[in-house]
């Protein structure tokens, strides 16, 4: 306790509709109150001799499975074993809708359902389907298989749904990942990934899946040969500037980071720099301005579409005899009127703009999460503690160059030299800092008034929280000089304070509070270690802690208690601070004695030890709040709580830390008694 820990992120969680769209077609929503009966009837129709009936059943099941309350009825009727064979149905349409249904089941059902799917051997037909689609893609190079009534490629659509199922189950189940390794699925999905220039949706699904299966999977590393590296490299070097391609490059860069051990040491620095360059390109885009621009584009497109439809309706009133005058005229497609200069096919598909913004926000979130993981990777080896060779490094939060002749800084001890150099060269921390600001208010207002765009508000808030967590990680692994010096840290402290105190009401969103208090804690630790003066007033400090300590989130409570301890230990060295120290001491004592979590209580005790460890002002305040008698009375209570609550509720690491707190409490009481004895003599 007393030190902030870096947070790691796993790859992005999946969604029932996939990144952009719902799988499956129209069907009963299961809202008739008799979900069991509907489930039984639909599952029975999967055996119907008509492919159209089977397709309708799969599509209907897919739609129902998007509602969590409908899932148990299907699970009770062994939906996994019923849908599994449909993945290899003779009808391609049935295959696609069955895969879509399994995709929604795996996403909406969560970890337990994914485990059940693997237990019931969904991987056997799924892997077989993926391999068939891969072979089908090569055949389609010559003669593409088109889905009925569409211009889309059926094999690629089936592959997209199947890859999403694979992604979902591999995210949740280690056995699925092992099967992925043993069945050579890497080569299969890389075949799909090669289609990125013509089918970016499929490529993004594969990239999501790859980022999941390459994480902490050493068994897979030997499968990454030169050809596999070239596929990922070709994506990273692609120049398409749509938001979807930015997301694709970001996800691919994340996979390359996961397999960095397969890259020759001589190429590691260049590779890491390329990864962070992609992240930089993603983070430099202003998401708020993009929302505003894309919403305007959508409004204009819908207006043009409405005008085009009006024109089409007018054309429909023309006497059919006029259209038949030329016997050789080519018959227009059914349901459409042939017109000159018809640009409707060139207009973006429905929700195209929303899709672009969603892809951008996912790219930024992914980039930030991977940077966090970069900062808390394994301890560097001795050869990574070398001096950086780059001469054009930039301050982390400012673009000013280092003083001439001073040379580049040493790489922080917890961060590899290659990662640190790439962070600096790409001005990543500066861009991270920009993302810690609250979302653009105009963009938020636009999303608030549009039901389909409203979910973007949560996504923008998530990016802000990830940026704060990223900032926290960088603060933990960088020294003061690399961070831009004392003045930059003080400016950063003011920025974080404004995030908390500039709003009309104190923020209560748990994820934001955890992220911002973690960043503040790491920053105050860094400033205190270098005797840099704090920027928060005692009133702000207490306001933050009083609000934070009532949070339901343990991490938030731990953070604010630690912040108070750090600030108090600094104040203890300054004259005429006894009154403030009394206020801090009373607050920490109350938290230690009353908080429901032993972890928070232990952190509060740790903070007390720091605040009242030394100094005349601290000694004066300790006597006035009767700190020693209070701790002596609380000591046996803390021991009893540890005995009763410790086992089963807390991890081994937490119990180890709490044992240290218990030992330090005994030592601190003895120390305070010694101070009291000196005063009496």
């Amino acid at each position: 306790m007393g030190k902030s820990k870096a947070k790691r992120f796993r790859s992005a969680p999946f969604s029932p509709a996939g990144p952009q769209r719902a799988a499956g077609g129209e069907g009963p929503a299961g809202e008739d109150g008799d979900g069991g009966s509907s489930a039984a009837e639909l599952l029975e129709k999967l055996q119907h001799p008509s492919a159209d009936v089977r397709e309708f059943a799969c599509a209907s099941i897919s739609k129902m499975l998007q509602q969590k309350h409908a899932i148990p009825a299907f699970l009770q009727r062994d939906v996994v074993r019923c849908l599994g064979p449909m993945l290899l149905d003779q009808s391609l349409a049935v295959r696609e809708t069955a895969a879509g249904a399994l995709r929604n089941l795996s996403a909406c059902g969560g970890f337990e359902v994914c485990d059940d799917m693997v237990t019931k051997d969904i991987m056997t037909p799924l892997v077989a389907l993926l391999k068939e689609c891969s072979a089908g893609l090569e055949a389609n190079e010559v003669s593409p298989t088109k889905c009925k009534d569409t211009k889309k490629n059926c094999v690629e659509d089936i592959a997209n749904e199947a890859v999403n199922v694979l992604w979902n189950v591999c995210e949740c189940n280690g056995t699925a990942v092992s099967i992925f390794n043993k069945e050579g699925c890497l080569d299969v999905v890389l075949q799909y990934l090669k289609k990125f220039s013509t089918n970016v949706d499929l490529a993004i699904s594969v990239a999501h899946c790859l980022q999941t299966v390459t994480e902490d999977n050493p068994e897979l590393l030997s499968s990454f040969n030169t050809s596999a590296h070239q596929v990922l490299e070709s994506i990273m070097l692609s120049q398409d500037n749509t938001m979807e391609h930015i997301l694709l490059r970001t996800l691919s860069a994340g996979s390359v980071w996961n397999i960095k051990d397969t890259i020759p040491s001589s190429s590691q620095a260049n590779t890491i720099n390329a990864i962070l360059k992609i992240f930089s390109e993603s983070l430099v885009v202003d998401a708020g301005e993009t929302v505003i621009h894309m919403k305007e584009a959508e409004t204009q497109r819908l207006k043009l579409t409405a005008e085009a439809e009006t024109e089409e309706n007018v054309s429909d009133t023309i006497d059919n005899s006029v259209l038949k005058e030329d016997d050789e005229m080519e018959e227009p497609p059914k349901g459409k009127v042939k017109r000159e200069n018809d640009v409707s096919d060139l207009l973006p598909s429905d929700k195209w703009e929303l899709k672009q913004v969603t892809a951008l926000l996912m790219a930024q979130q992914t980039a930030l999460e991977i940077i966090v993981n970069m900062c808390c990777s394994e301890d560097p080896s001795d050869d990574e503690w070398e001096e950086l060779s780059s001469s054009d490094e930039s301050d982390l939060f400012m673009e000013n160059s280092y003083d001439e002749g001073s040379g580049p800084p040493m790489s922080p001890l917890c961060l590899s030299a290659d990662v640190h150099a790439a962070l600096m060269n790409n001005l990543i921390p500066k861009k991270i800092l920009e993302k810690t600001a609250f979302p653009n208010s105009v963009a938020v207002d636009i999303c608030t008034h549009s039901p389909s765009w409203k979910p973007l508000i949560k996504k923008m808030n998530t990016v802000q929280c990830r940026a704060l967590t990223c900032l926290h990680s960088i603060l933990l692994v960088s020294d003061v000089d690399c961070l831009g010096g004392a003045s930059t840290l003080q400016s950063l402290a003011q920025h974080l304070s404004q995030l908390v105190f500039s709003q009309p009401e104190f923020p209560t969103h748990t994820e934001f509070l955890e992220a911002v208090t973690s960043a503040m804690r790491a920053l105050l630790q860094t400033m205190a270690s270098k005797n840099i003066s704090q920027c928060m007033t005692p009133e702000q400090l207490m306001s933050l802690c009083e609000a934070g300590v009532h949070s339901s989130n343990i991490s938030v409570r731990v953070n604010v208690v630690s912040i108070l301890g750090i600030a108090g230990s600094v104040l203890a060295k300054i004259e005429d601070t006894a009154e403030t120290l009394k206020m801090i001491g009373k607050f920490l004592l109350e938290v230690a004695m009353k908080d429901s979590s032993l972890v928070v209580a232990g952190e509060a005790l740790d903070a007390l030890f720091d605040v009242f460890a030394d100094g005349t002002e601290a000694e004066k305040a300790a006597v006035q709040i009767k700190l020693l008698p209070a701790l002596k009375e609380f000591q046996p209570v803390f021991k009893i709580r540890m005995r009763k609550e410790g086992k089963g509720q807390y991890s081994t690491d937490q119990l180890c830390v709490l044992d240290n707190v218990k030992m330090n409490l005994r030592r601190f009481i003895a120390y305070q008694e010694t101070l009291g004895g000196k005063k009496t003599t």
Side-chain angles (χ1 to χ4, degrees):
M1 291 185 183
K3 286 197 175 181
S4 187
K5 278 192 174 181
K7 182 174 184 176
R8 279 185 63 86
F9 287 102
R10 294 193 65 80
S11 54
F14 43 79
S15 64
Q20 308 298 344
R21 67 181 182 87
E26 293 299 322
E31 295 173 351
D32 56 0
D34 191 9
S37 175
S38 298
E41 291 173 6
L42 289 170
L43 291 172
E44 186 177 347
K45 287 180 180 178
L46 294 178
Q47 306 305 317
H48 198 280
S50 168
D52 287 340
V53 174
R54 296 197 302 276
E55 180 188 356
F56 174 81
C58 287
S60 301
I61 292 168
S62 179
K63 186 169 184 179
M64 290 181 69
L65 288 174
Q66 293 184 51
Q67 306 168 49
K68 286 191 176 183
H69 66 79
I71 291 177
F74 282 97
L75 292 177
Q76 290 167 12
R77 289 162 178 79
D78 214 2
V79 64
V80 177
R81 288 199 171 101
C82 291
L83 284 172
M86 299 295 103
L87 293 176
L88 301 174
D89 193 275
Q90 290 183 342
S91 165
L92 295 182
V94 173
R95 291 186 178 196
E96 182 182 359
T97 49
L102 288 165
R103 172 183 180 177
N104 286 348
L105 175 65
S106 59
C108 296
F111 285 82
E112 291 183 3
V113 170
C114 286
D115 284 339
D116 185 59
M117 290 174 69
V118 175
T119 300
K120 292 180 177 176
D121 198 27
I122 194 59
M123 291 297 288
T124 296
L126 180 60
V127 170
L129 174 62
L130 288 164
K131 289 181 177 179
E132 281 195 24
C133 287
S134 179
L137 285 181
E138 295 181 5
N140 281 345
E141 299 271 340
V142 179
S143 178
T145 305
K146 300 297 183 183
C147 297
K148 61 181 181 180
D149 300 327
T150 76
K151 293 184 178 181
K152 295 160 63 177
N153 186 301
C154 230
V155 174
E156 291 182 8
D157 287 349
I158 295 169
N160 190 28
E161 299 294 351
V163 167
N164 274 278
V165 179
L166 182 66
W167 168 27
N168 292 356
V169 294
C170 287
E171 175 70 25
C172 299
N173 187 277
T175 301
V177 176
S178 296
I179 294 171
F180 181 98
N181 296 342
K182 292 174 184 175
E183 291 292 332
C185 291
L186 177 63
D187 291 337
V188 174
V189 296
L190 286 174
Q191 184 72 20
Y192 303 151
L193 199 56
K194 293 177 183 177
K195 295 285 182 180
F196 74 91
S197 60
T198 57
N199 192 335
V200 69
D201 287 338
L202 174 60
I204 286 173
S205 296
V206 174
H208 272 296
C209 185
L210 265 184
Q211 197 196 354
T212 294
V213 297
T214 54
E215 190 168 8
D216 301 324
N217 186 6
E219 184 183 340
L220 186 63
L221 296 183
S222 59
S223 301
F224 275 91
N225 53 25
T226 303
S227 176
H229 280 285
Q230 287 174 345
V231 174
L232 292 171
E233 183 181 355
S234 65
I235 292 175
M236 290 175 65
L237 293 175
S238 64
Q239 299 298 314
D240 297 272
N241 58 4
T242 68
M243 304 306 167
E244 291 169 299
H245 283 89
I246 288 175
L247 172 59
L248 177 61
R249 286 195 292 270
T250 302
L251 291 167
S252 300
S255 295
V256 172
W257 169 256
N258 289 341
I259 63 166
K260 60 185 179 298
D261 290 344
T262 67
I263 299 169
S265 56
S266 59
S267 303
Q268 289 248 344
N270 288 337
T271 301
I272 291 171
N273 193 65
I275 291 171
L276 284 164
K277 182 180 179 182
I278 288 172
F279 294 166
S280 176
E281 291 171 351
S282 166
L283 294 173
V284 77
V285 182
D286 188 320
E289 290 298 324
T290 303
V291 167
I292 296 169
H293 170 72
M294 286 294 179
K295 189 63 175 133
E296 290 174 350
E298 181 190 68
T299 302
Q300 182 65 19
R301 174 175 63 81
L302 294 176
K303 179 182 176 182
L304 291 174
T305 301
E307 292 173 354
E309 289 175 352
T310 301
E311 181 183 343
E312 186 171 324
N313 291 335
V314 171
S315 298
D316 283 339
T317 64
I318 299 175
D319 192 342
N320 287 335
S321 62
V322 175
L323 294 176
K324 294 178 180 177
E325 285 180 359
D326 186 357
D327 292 334
E328 297 181 358
M329 174 182 281
E330 181 183 351
E331 184 179 350
K334 187 175 181 180
K336 291 187 74 176
V337 176
K338 187 177 179 70
R339 299 189 315 259
E340 285 190 13
N341 301 321
D342 184 358
V343 296
S344 60
D345 289 343
L346 301 178
L347 291 173
S349 60
D350 190 35
K351 305 295 182 187
W352 183 87
E353 297 83 2
L354 176 59
K355 190 176 180 181
Q356 295 297 306
V357 181
T358 303
L360 171 64
L361 291 171
M362 175 56 75
Q364 293 185 344
Q365 178 182 334
T366 301
L368 291 166
E369 289 175 353
I370 297 171
I371 294 169
V372 169
N373 293 346
M374 286 179 162
C375 291
C376 43
S377 57
E378 296 76 19
D379 291 336
S381 56
D382 290 341
D383 61 350
E384 290 175 324
W385 291 17
E386 60 190 1
E387 194 169 329
L388 298 177
S389 58
S390 174
S391 60
D392 60 351
E393 302 274 308
S394 300
D395 283 346
L396 221 53
F397 297 105
M398 300 175 67
E399 296 191 32
N400 300 333
S401 59
Y402 290 101
D403 293 336
E404 187 176 354
S406 65
M410 295 293 288
S411 174
L413 300 184
C414 299
L415 197 63
S416 78
D418 291 337
V419 173
H420 180 259
L423 282 169
M424 302 282 280
N425 289 338
N426 290 287
L427 296 175
I428 292 288
K430 182 177 182 293
K431 292 164 187 172
I432 291 170
L433 185 59
E434 292 169 355
K435 298 301 174 190
T436 63
F438 284 109
N440 184 310
S441 59
V442 176
V444 171
D445 186 61
I446 288 172
C447 295
T448 301
H449 292 91
S450 175
S452 59
W453 287 62
K454 195 169 184 178
L456 293 182
I457 298 174
K458 183 177 180 181
K459 296 179 186 298
M460 287 189 283
N461 288 331
T462 298
V463 169
Q464 180 196 24
C465 291
R466 294 295 185 271
L468 286 165
T469 303
C470 206
L471 177 61
H472 163 238
S473 297
I474 288 176
L475 286 166
L476 289 180
V477 298
S478 301
D479 57 41
V480 173
D481 290 336
C482 290
L483 293 170
S487 61
T488 301
L489 293 184
Q490 288 175 326
S491 297
L492 181 55
Q494 289 175 346
H495 169 69
L496 295 178
S497 297
Q498 286 174 354
L499 289 179
V500 175
F501 298 111
S502 63
Q503 301 300 299
E505 295 181 0
F506 190 86
T508 56
H509 186 247
T510 298
E511 188 177 13
F512 170 76
L513 271 181
E514 181 179 357
V516 74
T517 54
S518 294
M520 292 176 79
R521 178 182 179 180
L523 177 60
L524 291 176
Q525 281 176 341
T526 302
M527 294 174 73
S529 68
K530 298 297 181 180
N531 295 319
I532 300 171
S533 60
Q534 312 286 322
C535 295
M536 290 178 66
T537 66
E539 292 76 21
Q540 286 181 325
L541 191 65
M542 294 308 301
S543 174
L544 170 66
C545 294
E546 285 169 1
V549 83
H550 291 106
S551 171
S552 60
N553 183 278
I554 290 177
S555 294
V556 173
R557 303 206 301 274
V558 166
N559 283 338
V560 296
V561 165
S562 177
I563 287 170
L564 200 55
I566 295 166
S569 64
V570 172
L571 290 171
K573 302 171 185 176
I574 303 172
E575 293 183 358
D576 300 325
T577 56
E579 288 301 314
T580 303
L581 294 175
K582 282 168 57 178
M583 186 167 53
I584 291 173
K586 288 178 181 178
F587 182 89
L588 292 173
L589 268 175
E590 185 174 4
V591 173
M593 294 176 180
K594 295 183 178 180
D595 198 284
S596 60
S597 168
L598 271 176
V599 172
V600 179
E603 189 70 44
L605 288 172
D606 245 356
L608 279 168
F609 305 155
D610 290 340
V611 174
F612 296 96
D614 193 22
T616 304
E617 296 296 315
E619 291 176 17
K620 191 190 305 180
V623 171
Q624 292 178 5
I625 65 172
K626 299 180 180 178
L627 179 62
L628 178 58
L631 290 177
K632 291 177 75 172
E633 184 179 347
F634 178 63
Q635 186 178 25
V637 176
F638 187 68
K639 289 181 179 179
I640 292 170
R641 280 194 67 185
M642 282 191 61
R643 272 200 306 271
K644 288 184 176 180
E645 303 173 28
K647 292 182 179 178
Q649 291 191 35
Y650 300 98
S651 67
T652 303
D653 288 344
Q654 288 174 325
L655 290 175
C656 182
V657 172
L658 287 168
D659 277 334
N660 282 334
V661 172
K662 183 174 68 175
M663 180 176 63
N664 289 337
L665 176 58
R666 175 173 55 80
R667 291 175 175 174
F668 186 76
I669 288 172
Y671 166 70
Q672 288 290 317
E673 287 176 334
T674 302
L675 289 179
K678 288 180 180 178
K679 289 177 182 178
T680 56
T681 57

